[in-house]
Amino acid sequence: MTPSEQAALRQLADIPGVVGSMVFDVSGTVVLSEFPAVFDTAALAGVASRLSADGYFQEWMSGEQGTLDLRFVDGHVVLRSLGSAWLLVLCTLQSNAQLVAMSLTQVVRRLRMSPPAPPARVEPAAPPAAASPLEQLRLIVARELGAHSAQALEILAAAGARPKDLRRAIDEIEKLVRLFISKKKAEEIGGRMRAVLED
């Protein structure tokens, strides 16, 4: 935590009704935190991890203007996008919403993290011509989904090698990717996998 970042979170903590705040990145790691000692750091890390892993949250909070205000019986949580991370602020009902919003605008400017440069995309080598359609599909899933490929590979393994069963498996994988990653990624991987069967 740099002195400037610490000062930004303390600025929020000084607002009446603000309980605490934290910044977490796309991997679910809590980068900065300004919560009272009574808060369980493991529980806060768990919240960050669950939010960052949620496809709907990522879609809703994408871009620099992403904002979410969740109101509860005894308080509310404000989330703001910081580019490559998110700021979460926990408030009581007694907090002044306008004051919190104005302060957040200033704090977000100070905390805004520039998104990391996208890694240079290296086009993977095409699967060997002798590879079966099932093997080619497995390679696509492993390459495109990486750490998230386990369930998709299980679907392929259960499908067998018949083209109609593989088409059904591709549909299931596309639904899975749409649900847990994004619609765009689902369409992309679905198209590539169907092209293998058409060839």
Side-chain angles (χ1 to χ4, degrees), residues 14-196:
D14 290 340
I15 300 169
V18 170
V19 178
S21 58
M22 68 178 177
V23 174
F24 60 97
D25 63 19
V26 292
S27 69
T29 303
V30 176
V31 182
L32 311 167
S33 182
E34 187 69 35
F35 271 93
V38 295
F39 280 81
D40 181 0
T41 53
L44 292 171
V47 169
S49 177
R50 282 192 290 277
L51 284 172
S52 63
D54 187 290
Y56 290 116
F57 173 79
Q58 288 187 15
E59 192 172 331
W60 185 268
M61 295 294 290
S62 63
E64 296 197 348
Q65 302 303 316
T67 304
L68 196 56
D69 195 339
L70 305 170
R71 300 209 171 257
F72 302 97
V73 175
D74 52 358
H76 70 277
V77 173
V78 183
L79 288 138
R80 290 286 301 267
S81 173
L82 298 173
S84 63
W86 297 283
L87 168 65
L88 180 149
V89 183
L90 176 62
C91 306
T92 66
L93 285 178
Q94 288 72 39
S95 63
N96 181 320
Q98 287 181 321
L99 181 58
V100 171
M102 286 189 302
S103 297
L104 270 174
T105 302
Q106 295 172 358
V107 170
V108 164
R109 273 196 213 112
R110 291 169 72 182
L111 290 175
R112 181 87 59 197
M113 296 180 176
S114 56
R121 184 168 172 95
V122 178
E123 287 300 323
S132 70
L134 179 57
E135 276 307 307
Q136 291 180 50
L137 295 177
R138 284 186 184 136
L139 285 171
I140 291 170
V141 165
R143 249 190 335 248
E144 293 295 319
L145 299 181
H148 303 288
S149 64
Q151 196 169 353
L153 289 171
E154 284 175 22
I155 291 169
L156 282 174
R162 295 188 326 189
K164 77 172 190 177
D165 294 333
L166 289 175
R167 282 189 195 91
R168 201 173 302 126
I170 291 169
D171 290 342
E172 285 181 48
I173 291 168
E174 194 171 358
K175 286 177 194 169
L176 184 74
V177 173
R178 183 178 289 116
L179 184 63
F180 292 106
I181 300 177
S182 73
K183 181 180 176 184
K184 182 180 176 185
K185 187 69 174 176
E187 289 170 354
E188 180 186 321
I189 196 169
R192 291 189 63 195
M193 293 174 81
R194 287 187 186 90
V196 167

